[in-house]
Amino acid sequence: MELLDWIVLSIYFLMLLGIGGWAYFRVKNSADFYTAGGKLPWWLSGISHHVSGYSGAVFVAYAGIAYTHGFTLYVWWAFTVGIATMIAAFYIAPRWSRLRVYAGIQSPTEYLLVRYNLTTQQLIAWSGAIIKVFDTGGKLAAIAVLLNVFSGVSITFGILLVGTVSLIYITIGGLWADVWNDFGQFLVQLLAGLTMFVMIILKLGDGVEGIFSMWDRLPPEHSNFFNEPYTVLFALVLLIINFFSYSGGTWNLATRFISSSSGKTARKAAILSSMLYFIWPLLLLYPMFAAPIFFEKLSDPTLSYGVMVKEFLPSGLVGLVLASLFANTLSMTASDSNTVSAVISRDILPVIFPGIRKFSYKKSLRLARITTLCFTILTIITAINSSQFGGVFGLIISWFAALLGPIAIPMILGLLPSFAKSDGTAAIASILGGLITFILLKLFPVNTLALEIGGPTLVSLTLFIVFGLFNKKKVPSEIKKLHLNLDRNH
């Protein structure tokens, strides 16, 4: 990186801090801090949901998969996310917004107390918060790897830099700072992604035809929809996991719907996010697919995108691309910090310290900022030690994807009246069954990636449904009332 690149990157960081400062004056209480007062417009909520769904890991772990396996990455990642989010738009997203209107929730786990019981709520809140430490730490480590490729600074320094910037602006600005940073980073990502796409087309030398003829210069299996170990079964498993993740099982994505002004607004936001997943990754991932043409035998495929940026982009544009990668990661880590803080301060701490429920608006806001600060520090520590958990890919795919389902299934299906008979017992059995499956698969590894990643989710889903089918008790009136209000068009 040259001086101009550092200037571009510094301008981006200043923009972030400026957004945080602006948002600080809009935040008057914890509802503003966690849900933007329920005033997010559909287009802002949709863009924020989209860009909060992936991080710098796309340009590290996923870039490595694109280099070694080709187009299958789009099929099992972006395409399945697009389908999952479109389904969520009609069945799940509006219910999250109505929950805020009906029950006044600020965190995704808050409604679980009424839907199930205190034990279930606490199990999901604690488990999800711990899992998020690993997931967010993996994303911080991913962007630090890219910064190391570009500038040569140590990975530890990169983690501290990214973590500190994220910590400052999200702690002072809350969700308003987060979503406007998402919008700003989306614009930066569009500019950087299109620039990289055009540069690769020019380097291929075949004009517009090169977009399609490029595949003839790659190994034949790189143009396949499915490429071992990324099979049809793996894609179907990811579709199920992604449904539970992008409809709100990943808490920061639920917050985008909760903070929408109405159910109709949340539905439009989810549709926009879905359409962006179908279209934008085709351009974003294209340079990664082309990387083997220019660099045949990279010792570490996860560095392929960073090597291409350094090789093909002029001074200034390198800084722009790096800024977009920072933006990707910061949007996710900041979202995670904000939402997990909501769960901790709204659902965990009041159970341990009941006096918190009587806090004034001012004290509640101070608690929100303190919990956000503490969570972010924990993720920084985890990122620095990411190698202990299997690196970036290990943290984000093997750990988070495998553990997400058992936590998300009771949360998402609990919103639907079809699963009203699956009570707290079903939820706890589902969670524990999934977690035990995860442990067993770690102790006794299998050769099928689909089973390794999807096993815990499939076991949890089966247990949740089966326990509901065999439940002979009547559905409590408060749960009937909850579902009735979530089905109404507010």
Side-chain angles (χ1 to χ4, degrees):
M1 286 178 62
E2 299 180 13
L3 178 61
L4 186 57
D5 298 311
W6 284 109
I7 291 173
V8 170
L9 191 59
S10 298
I11 291 172
Y12 169 69
F13 282 144
L14 288 173
M15 180 193 79
L16 279 188
L17 297 176
I19 289 173
W22 168 82
Y24 176 80
F25 294 101
R26 295 199 64 167
V27 175
K28 306 298 182 186
N29 52 49
S30 61
D32 290 338
F33 190 84
Y34 289 133
T35 66
K39 297 175 182 176
L40 288 189
W42 69 270
W43 58 271
L44 185 58
S45 179
I47 289 174
S48 182
H49 182 278
H50 175 75
V51 298
S52 293
Y54 54 96
S55 68
V58 170
F59 304 92
V60 181
Y62 286 5
I65 295 170
Y67 183 92
T68 56
H69 290 79
F71 189 73
T72 185
L73 171 65
Y74 171 82
V75 176
W76 64 255
W77 172 59
F79 189 71
T80 61
V81 172
I83 294 174
T85 307
M86 186 63 75
I87 296 171
F90 292 92
Y91 295 100
I92 305 297
R95 285 179 162 85
W96 280 121
S97 179
R98 291 169 194 155
L99 260 179
R100 179 188 52 77
V101 175
Y102 163 66
I105 68 165
Q106 294 179 25
S107 86
T109 57
E110 206 164 339
Y111 94 101
L112 298 175
L113 182 61
V114 173
R115 176 58 181 85
Y116 298 110
N117 50 47
L118 180 63
T119 303
T120 305
Q121 183 205 41
Q122 291 300 298
L123 180 60
I124 292 176
W126 278 94
S127 302
I130 292 168
I131 291 169
K132 262 300 174 186
V133 171
F134 292 105
D135 178 48
T136 310
K139 291 159 190 167
L140 289 177
I143 193 62
V145 169
L146 288 170
L147 184 60
N148 172 261
V149 173
F150 287 146
S151 66
V153 301
S154 72
I155 291 177
T156 300
F157 175 80
I159 290 169
L160 291 172
L161 175 64
V162 181
T164 301
V165 172
S166 173
L167 185 135
I168 293 172
Y169 87 83
I170 193 63
T171 300
I172 64 174
L175 188 67
W176 275 118
D178 192 16
V179 294
W180 278 108
N181 166 53
D182 287 347
F183 181 71
Q185 78 99 334
F186 181 66
L187 297 179
V188 172
Q189 186 190 112
L190 277 177
L191 182 58
L194 289 173
T195 300
M196 193 67 183
F197 176 77
V198 171
M199 290 299 292
I200 294 303
I201 296 299
L202 293 175
K203 291 293 180 182
L204 288 170
D206 296 328
V208 177
E209 292 181 5
I211 298 174
F212 305 99
S213 63
M214 174 196 77
W215 299 100
D216 298 331
R217 300 161 65 178
L218 290 164
E221 63 272 15
H222 276 225
S223 57
N224 294 343
F225 283 6
F226 305 102
N227 188 357
E228 288 282 353
Y230 307 108
T231 60
V232 175
L233 179 61
F234 179 80
L236 289 174
V237 166
L238 260 292
L239 176 61
I240 295 170
I241 291 174
N242 286 336
F243 169 73
F244 287 108
S245 173
Y246 287 80
S247 58
T250 299
W251 293 345
N252 62 304
L253 301 180
T255 300
R256 271 61 193 161
F257 301 139
I258 292 170
S259 305
S260 297
S261 57
S262 67
K264 184 182 291 186
T265 301
R267 178 181 291 117
K268 288 169 68 176
I271 291 172
L272 173 60
S273 179
S274 172
M275 296 308 297
L276 288 172
Y277 269 110
F278 286 132
I279 298 168
W280 175 237
L282 288 171
L283 298 176
L284 188 69
L285 299 176
Y286 187 82
M288 303 179 199
F289 297 143
I293 295 175
F294 304 103
F295 309 100
E296 289 187 18
K297 295 180 180 179
L298 281 179
S299 58
D300 186 355
T302 63
L303 302 181
S304 59
Y305 193 80
V307 171
M308 291 179 76
V309 170
K310 282 171 50 177
E311 183 75 19
F312 298 141
L313 293 186
S315 178
L317 289 180
V318 173
L320 178 67
V321 170
L322 186 56
S324 77
L325 304 187
F326 266 105
N328 268 100
T329 304
L330 287 174
S331 72
M332 264 196 123
T333 56
S335 298
D336 290 340
S337 298
N338 180 266
T339 307
V340 175
S341 168
V343 170
I344 293 170
S345 63
R346 298 280 298 183
D347 305 324
I348 294 177
L349 292 181
V351 174
I352 302 171
F353 307 105
I356 289 175
R357 300 186 193 280
K358 300 177 182 179
F359 274 12
S360 64
Y361 285 153
K362 191 173 181 181
K363 280 189 175 181
S364 295
L365 181 56
R366 187 182 303 130
L367 177 65
R369 289 184 166 132
I370 291 171
T371 51
T372 303
L373 176 74
C374 294
F375 174 79
T376 307
I377 290 172
L378 272 177
T379 62
I380 292 171
I381 294 170
T382 303
I384 292 172
N385 294 281
S386 62
S387 61
Q388 304 297 318
F389 305 100
V392 174
F393 185 84
L395 276 172
I396 294 174
I397 299 296
S398 297
W399 281 75
F400 180 65
L403 287 169
L404 171 74
I407 305 301
I409 285 167
M411 285 186 62
I412 302 304
L413 298 186
L415 294 167
L416 300 172
S418 303
F419 299 92
K421 296 202 55 99
S422 294
D423 57 11
T425 302
I428 291 173
S430 171
I431 295 166
L432 295 180
L435 294 178
I436 290 169
T437 304
F438 173 78
I439 293 169
L440 290 175
L441 288 171
K442 285 296 178 186
L443 293 175
F444 308 102
V446 293
N447 293 325
T448 306
L449 186 60
L451 183 58
E452 178 190 343
I453 302 300
T457 297
L458 297 177
V459 169
S460 288
L461 181 59
T462 302
L463 288 172
F464 189 80
I465 294 172
V466 168
F467 268 76
L469 289 174
F470 285 93
N471 182 10
K472 302 301 182 184
K473 298 176 184 176
K474 288 186 177 180
V475 178
S477 58
E478 62 266 24
I479 294 178
K480 289 182 179 179
K481 185 179 179 183
L482 173 72
H483 285 141
L484 182 64
N485 278 279
L486 297 189
D487 281 339
R488 286 177 179 165
N489 254 332
H490 288 293

